[in-house]
Amino acid sequence: MSRLAPLFLALVLGAIAPAAAFAQQTPAPATGPAIQLENDAATDAAIATRLRGILSELDGYDDVTVTVREGIVTFRGTAVDGAAIAQLDEIANRLSEVITVRNQVAETTAVAERLDPAMERLRARWRQVVSTLPLLSVAAAVFVAVAAIGWLITRWRGPWRRLAPNGFIADIYRQLVRLGFVLAGLVAGLDILGATALLGTILGAAGLIGLAVGFAVRDTVENFIASIMLSIRQPFDPDDTVEIEGDVGKVVRLTSRATILLSHDGNHVRIPNATVFKSRLVNYTRNDATRIVFDLGVAPDTDLAEAQRIAAGTLQALPFVLDRPAASVWVHEAGDSSVALRLTAWISQRESSFYPARGEAIRLVMAAFAEAGIEMPEPTYRVMRVAPPDANATAPRGAVPAAGHSLREPQDVAAYDEQALDQIVREERSDAGAQNLLSGDAARE
């Protein structure tokens, strides 16, 4: 076996060696034009003459010389710039008899020769601008006329107010129509100039700029879009009492960026419209009737049915409580030392103030319990000295009423505080320069 290995290696090397030798002897395929077998001085002279004639008709080749020998073209001298030097190769290679080109032309360093072509181009462009001034004037006049028509049409506010649900949307319609007329005038002017292709470039650049600006002012754009949606849907009216993410107040105005509330403390609350549009919103004013709820505790040995009857009758007899829905009382929960009753009654928000009405209802029900002898639970222990009974004591247990005033007499709970707040809101809204997108005649959500 060891004797066969050298023999096998020799056979492999003998097969590879002829193939490598053949590959070395095979010529590479020729590139470029085929070289003719015969060439004479007449052909070289013809090539040189032809090239000199071409260069004489072109600017910037006055210092370039041409020599041709055996089909090889040689350029010497100076040219204005690299583009002109490269053009020499292109011109020479287009002749069928040229074998190759030796370009020995260098860029000129003469200031005058370098500036002359630039000055000539400036002069040519100036002549072109002067020659197109009449046409440019006509195009500008057409653009101004079309834009002016759009401005006159959108200047009338009445028709747009009838088309839109509110003034803010009407202004958006007017701006869009005005922009449409401006674009139409631009297209007409460019068409007169024969440069409508520039419109795509202008719109593309405007789109890129708009995209960049949109990313930069994303929150502002979001608030603006939200203001459009809110002005269309209008989930609240002016003067409505609303709650937005824990902020409670009366609506002063809706602007293109924020909703302005006036809190019950008299403070301005500015909430971005994007937050208003996406947040949970509670409108306390949309429904006039609202319910007051409170709990009262009684002693465990109290007749609960009698206590419920007294409490319900007392609530329903109050002048500021609505007949429907009727007042109701039920046992809410039982504790170690008391039983809690839950009392509810409905009032009109436009006629009564919520918190004074609730407080007055609590006071009068407690007074009714005191007159009926219903004891309130005592959560603490007290050491009391028992006094002999007083036969002359006629006043009910509890607070002693003042002279001329009955313990059961209801107090006035008219919405005085709401009226005062409404007056502040009206004064805030009276500013004619302030923006307000809410409309009284718009559709409600």
Side-chain angles (χ1 to χ4, degrees):
M1 191 70 178
S2 58
R3 294 179 181 179
L4 294 176
L7 180 59
F8 178 74
L9 181 59
L11 290 174
V12 173
L13 293 176
I16 295 176
F22 178 78
Q24 293 177 356
Q25 295 174 2
T26 303
T31 58
I35 300 176
Q36 299 180 0
L37 296 178
E38 297 182 359
N39 193 298
D40 52 16
T43 304
D44 293 340
I47 295 173
T49 302
R50 179 63 172 159
L51 290 174
R52 293 189 185 99
I54 294 173
L55 297 181
S56 64
E57 297 296 328
L58 299 176
D59 295 332
Y61 297 109
D62 296 337
D63 296 333
V64 176
T65 60
V66 181
T67 57
V68 181
R69 185 174 181 182
E70 296 296 331
I72 300 173
V73 178
T74 302
F75 293 108
R76 296 184 179 87
T78 58
V80 177
D81 50 24
I85 296 173
Q87 189 178 14
L88 292 173
D89 293 342
E90 298 177 4
I91 295 172
N93 286 325
R94 297 183 65 179
L95 299 179
S96 60
E97 301 296 334
V98 174
I99 303 303
T100 186
V101 179
R102 291 187 299 184
N103 195 339
Q104 300 177 358
V105 177
E107 292 188 18
T108 182
T109 57
V111 177
E113 293 183 6
R114 298 293 294 268
L115 291 179
D116 283 344
M119 296 302 297
E120 183 60 30
R121 287 193 297 269
L122 289 176
R123 285 191 292 268
R125 289 172 183 172
W126 173 251
R127 289 192 295 267
Q128 184 180 5
V129 169
V130 172
S131 62
T132 57
L133 276 179
L135 194 61
L136 187 62
S137 301
V138 173
V142 171
F143 170 75
V144 172
V146 175
I149 293 173
W151 182 81
L152 290 175
I153 293 176
T154 56
R155 187 169 178 265
W156 300 329
R157 296 180 179 269
W160 303 103
R161 290 292 179 91
R162 288 191 289 270
L163 290 175
N166 54 64
F168 180 58
I169 303 300
D171 289 338
I172 293 177
Y173 287 167
R174 292 169 56 240
Q175 296 298 330
L176 289 176
V177 172
R178 187 174 299 173
L179 179 61
F181 272 91
V182 170
L183 290 178
L186 183 62
V187 171
L190 292 177
D191 186 62
I192 293 175
L193 294 174
T196 52
L198 290 176
L199 184 62
T201 304
I202 295 173
L203 293 179
L208 291 177
I209 295 173
L211 184 62
V213 173
F215 276 111
V217 293
R218 181 180 59 183
D219 293 340
T220 302
V221 174
E222 185 180 8
N223 287 326
F224 181 76
I225 295 175
S227 67
I228 296 176
M229 301 302 298
L230 289 175
S231 64
I232 294 175
R233 296 169 58 183
Q234 294 215 3
F236 42 74
D237 294 338
D239 298 331
D240 279 1
T241 301
V242 298
E243 178 183 353
I244 304 172
E245 287 200 340
D247 294 313
V248 181
K250 282 187 171 292
V251 177
V252 177
R253 65 173 60 89
L254 172 67
T255 69
S256 59
R257 291 194 59 189
T259 299
I260 311 300
L261 303 182
L262 185 68
S263 70
H264 290 84
D265 297 329
N267 300 320
H268 275 243
V269 182
R270 185 182 183 91
I271 306 175
N273 286 332
T275 302
V276 177
F277 185 74
K278 295 183 292 186
S279 299
R280 172 181 174 270
L281 188 149
V282 181
N283 192 326
Y284 295 105
T285 311
R286 182 59 58 89
N287 186 15
D288 178 43
T290 187
R291 190 178 72 166
I292 57 175
V293 182
F294 59 93
D295 295 339
L296 288 179
V298 296
D301 58 349
T302 302
D303 185 350
L304 297 180
E306 180 66 13
Q308 289 179 262
R309 184 188 64 78
I310 293 174
T314 302
L315 287 177
Q316 198 62 58
L318 296 178
F320 52 84
V321 173
L322 301 178
D323 295 333
R324 299 184 63 184
S328 59
V329 182
W330 64 87
V331 177
H332 180 55
E333 61 182 8
D336 295 336
S337 60
S338 66
V339 177
L341 300 180
R342 175 151 293 182
L343 298 83
T344 63
W346 291 78
I347 64 172
S348 171
Q349 295 188 88
R350 296 186 179 90
E351 298 177 0
S352 304
S353 183
F354 179 85
Y355 293 106
R358 183 175 180 272
E360 189 67 9
I362 294 174
R363 184 185 72 84
L364 293 174
V365 172
M366 291 181 63
F369 281 177
E371 288 183 1
I374 298 176
E375 296 183 357
M376 308 294 290
E378 293 289 345
T380 59
Y381 293 99
R382 294 185 299 173
V383 178
M384 303 178 63
R385 183 177 63 86
V386 179
D390 188 359
N392 297 324
T394 58
R397 182 172 50 188
V400 178
H405 178 72
S406 173
L407 190 66
R408 297 290 303 276
E409 180 181 351
Q411 302 298 308
D412 187 8
V413 295
Y416 292 125
D417 57 339
E418 298 292 328
Q419 294 173 5
L421 198 61
D422 289 341
Q423 179 63 30
I424 297 176
V425 172
R426 283 192 293 270
E427 292 175 358
E428 294 284 344
R429 196 178 293 112
S430 63
D431 184 4
Q435 185 186 34
N436 191 7
L437 308 184
L438 295 176
S439 173
D441 56 353
R444 297 292 180 264
E445 186 179 47

